[in-house]
Amino acid sequence: MAGLALDGSNPDVDVLDGINDLAKGAPHWVNTVMEYIGEYGIIAGLAILCLVAWWAARKRPGAPAAVAGLVWAPIAAGIALIVNIPIRNFVERPRPFKTHAGLEVLIPSKSDFSFVSDHATLTMAVGVGLFVANRKYGLIGIALALFEGFCRVYMGVHYPTDVVGGFALGTAVALLLSPPAQALLVPLAKAVGASRAGALVQAAGVADADADRTGSVRAAGQAGARGSSVPSRRAGRDGGDNDLAA
């Protein structure tokens, strides 16, 4: 099924031509840099971003839960790529350079189908997954994913709708499956934190937020019990004095 527009005057092709024209007028070294960034660089950058976010999350109170949220980001990307397999095989949309002449194609060796873009799917799933766990790192990840989409069209290997479809798929998987994933990952992270591999999810000396809350509740209860007993003892002493005075 190749029902998506492949040629002719339509916004998809117009945007493709407009962005790819930048590659036609760019120096060879610029296109070489864009090729490596679009194919490998942004994915590597997201991997480094995940590691930085993980290292920071280990040092926060409640670290196991925070780390579990970050672990979901690459898992969501993997699930989204698996979901994309039947989508690509069903749509069977050819790469734009196979049906649309005149493009500057930076990687002409690609022979698989075009819709949905794997790179756009993967990067946006990671970006949104990071955003669910940490907004600061998530916004950086989403910005990288958007640039990845631009690179794929610039390189002439995807239509803009291939990229938009990938963004939608990655976002849907990262958001919709996050609650059940967290229900599984948070207890697992806490179990790892209590094991010999605890440094993976919690830095040494970092307090457990759950333990702190439990301790605070117990302390408050004990303080309340002591406070409530003081008036009783005072009342008893006052009552005794009154009896003696009588």
Side-chain angles (χ1 to χ4, degrees):
M1 174 181 176
L4 298 173
L6 299 178
D7 207 343
S9 179
N10 64 71
D12 204 18
V13 174
D14 292 343
V15 174
L16 168 66
D17 288 336
I19 295 177
N20 187 252
D21 282 346
L22 299 174
K24 294 178 183 178
H28 176 72
W29 70 267
V30 172
N31 286 343
T32 300
V33 170
M34 289 294 287
E35 175 186 343
Y36 280 98
I37 289 176
E39 192 72 6
Y40 311 108
I42 292 178
I43 294 177
L46 284 170
I48 294 172
L49 183 64
C50 288
L51 289 175
V52 172
W54 161 73
W55 189 259
R58 292 171 58 253
K59 301 176 182 180
R60 297 201 317 238
V67 170
L70 296 173
V71 169
W72 168 239
I75 294 177
I79 294 174
L81 290 177
I82 294 173
V83 172
N84 190 30
I85 294 174
I87 295 176
R88 296 181 72 154
N89 291 334
F90 176 73
V91 177
E92 295 183 347
R93 187 185 203 186
R95 296 277 180 173
F97 57 82
K98 291 186 177 294
T99 56
H100 187 66
L103 294 177
E104 180 71 20
V105 185
L106 303 190
I107 307 180
S109 60
K110 290 188 174 294
S111 58
D112 55 344
F113 296 123
S114 185
F115 185 91
V116 178
S117 167
D118 275 340
H119 281 71
T121 300
L122 183 152
T123 54
M124 188 55 76
V126 172
V128 174
L130 284 174
F131 184 81
V132 172
N134 185 294
R135 290 189 177 182
K136 179 180 73 173
Y137 294 113
L139 289 174
I140 297 173
I142 291 172
L144 289 174
L146 293 173
F147 185 57
E148 177 68 57
F150 173 84
C151 289
R152 304 308 288 178
V153 180
Y154 179 98
M155 295 160 61
V157 296
H158 280 294
Y159 290 96
T161 48
D162 299 336
V163 170
V164 173
F167 288 163
L169 176 59
T171 299
V173 170
L175 289 181
L176 296 179
L177 298 183
S178 178
Q182 293 305 301
L184 296 174
L185 290 174
V186 171
L188 178 61
K190 289 182 177 180
V192 172
S195 70
R196 293 183 178 180
L200 292 174
V201 298
Q202 189 167 332
V206 176
D208 189 336
D210 292 338
D212 287 347
R213 284 194 296 268
T214 301
S216 298
V217 171
R218 288 177 179 174
Q222 292 172 357
R226 288 195 298 269
S228 63
S229 63
V230 170
S232 298
R233 289 195 296 268
R234 287 177 178 173
R237 288 195 297 269
D238 293 342
D241 293 338
N242 290 336
D243 290 339
L244 291 173

